[in-house]
Amino acid sequence: MRRPARREAGLTLIEVMVAIALLSVLSVGILMALRVGTAAWERATDGLMLDRRIAAANNILQQELEGIFPAWAEFVNPATRAQGVVIFFQGEPGSMRFVTAYSLDSGPRGGLRIVELLVAQGPKGQRVLLNELPYTGPRSAGQVVRGVTTEGAVARPVFAPIAVLPASFVIADELGSCSFSYLEQNEPGAMTGPPRWVSSWRDAERLPAAISIQITPGQGPARLQPVTVTVPIRATMTP
């Protein structure tokens, strides 16, 4: 008597193809989930780093202004070839020069530095550039003084334009606007008007009582924005 053929267990070709298709779909889903998660993590990290840079920039501006040091600048007047001496401070609506005891790279232990702040136009709005130069004495500060001009009875120094250098540090970027103003405070006992904010500093013999950097944030995505910085100047008398 002939025995019936024995059937062996196994998978058909169609079942194998279906299993491979399901595994492929599952792998693609996992890969897309990992990609979305990685992109979200990168965006969060970039935003956090940007917020840290903005907070650090605000702190640097605060420290630079708080460390302002009254220093002299010796220069030669090109018109008369006579030597002149003025207190080293340039205060304009979009540019500022001063000597500070705070260094960008070494903090309060970096020695005296000449700091140049310049508001310039960037690709996505206004930006604030910062140059730091070594201060070695009145003659080093006088290298950027071009002479003295007289407005009424007040003499003020004339400074060379601030140059944008390859090493210029972008302290703030993508701003709606930025401008500097200076607090003019009368000397004790002077019979003149009350303190007032001016857009340009014209006194060649003393520093302003305070400095304000007014910043308007840009129209970019919501994030930590640079804020207006107002710092009183402790050393306002001539050195």
Side-chain angles (χ1 to χ4, degrees):
M1 184 176 181
R2 191 175 181 180
R3 299 176 62 181
R6 185 177 179 181
R7 300 185 60 184
E8 296 181 357
L11 298 174
T12 64
L13 179 60
I14 295 178
E15 291 173 335
V16 172
M17 294 179 64
V18 171
I20 293 175
L22 292 175
L23 181 61
S24 300
V25 172
L26 181 61
S27 300
V28 171
I30 295 175
L31 181 61
M32 292 298 296
L34 290 175
R35 187 172 181 179
V36 171
T38 302
W41 176 77
E42 289 178 349
R43 288 195 300 269
T45 301
D46 292 343
L48 179 60
M49 294 303 295
L50 180 60
D51 288 348
R52 287 181 176 178
R53 287 197 297 269
I54 293 173
N58 288 338
N59 181 64
I60 289 172
L61 287 174
Q62 184 92 12
Q63 296 293 333
E64 295 272 11
L65 296 178
E66 287 182 350
I68 285 182
F69 180 83
W72 290 110
E74 295 181 0
F75 66 98
V76 176
N77 194 324
T80 62
R81 307 306 301 175
Q83 185 175 2
V85 178
V86 294
I87 192 167
F88 185 80
F89 184 83
Q90 177 187 4
E92 303 293 341
S95 59
M96 198 187 317
R97 273 192 181 101
F98 52 86
V99 175
T100 181
Y102 184 88
S103 171
L104 183 63
D105 55 353
S106 303
R109 298 179 299 274
L112 296 179
R113 294 286 191 275
I114 296 175
V115 170
E116 300 176 333
L117 292 176
L118 176 66
V119 179
Q121 186 64 35
K124 297 182 180 180
Q126 290 190 339
R127 57 174 45 170
V128 181
L129 303 177
L130 184 148
N131 298 331
E132 257 193 5
L133 307 172
Y135 175 79
T136 58
R139 291 187 179 180
S140 65
Q143 293 178 359
V144 296
V145 180
R146 296 294 179 260
V148 174
T149 184
T150 302
E151 295 181 358
V154 179
R156 66 179 184 88
V158 178
F159 290 86
I162 297 177
V164 179
L165 306 174
S168 295
F169 182 76
V170 181
I171 198 73
D173 201 1
E174 299 183 19
L175 305 176
S177 64
C178 180
S179 62
F180 308 143
S181 58
Y182 314 92
L183 182 61
E184 188 179 65
Q185 189 171 3
N186 301 314
E187 296 182 0
M191 301 300 293
T192 51
R196 63 191 182 104
W197 288 96
V198 295
S199 58
S200 298
W201 189 251
R202 296 292 182 255
D203 197 329
E205 297 182 355
R206 60 175 179 162
L207 298 173
I211 298 174
S212 179
I213 302 179
Q214 295 92 25
I215 296 176
T216 301
Q219 302 298 323
R223 65 171 189 259
L224 181 64
Q225 297 285 0
V227 296
T228 294
V229 177
T230 302
V231 178
I233 307 303
R234 298 180 178 89
T236 58
M237 301 302 293
T238 55

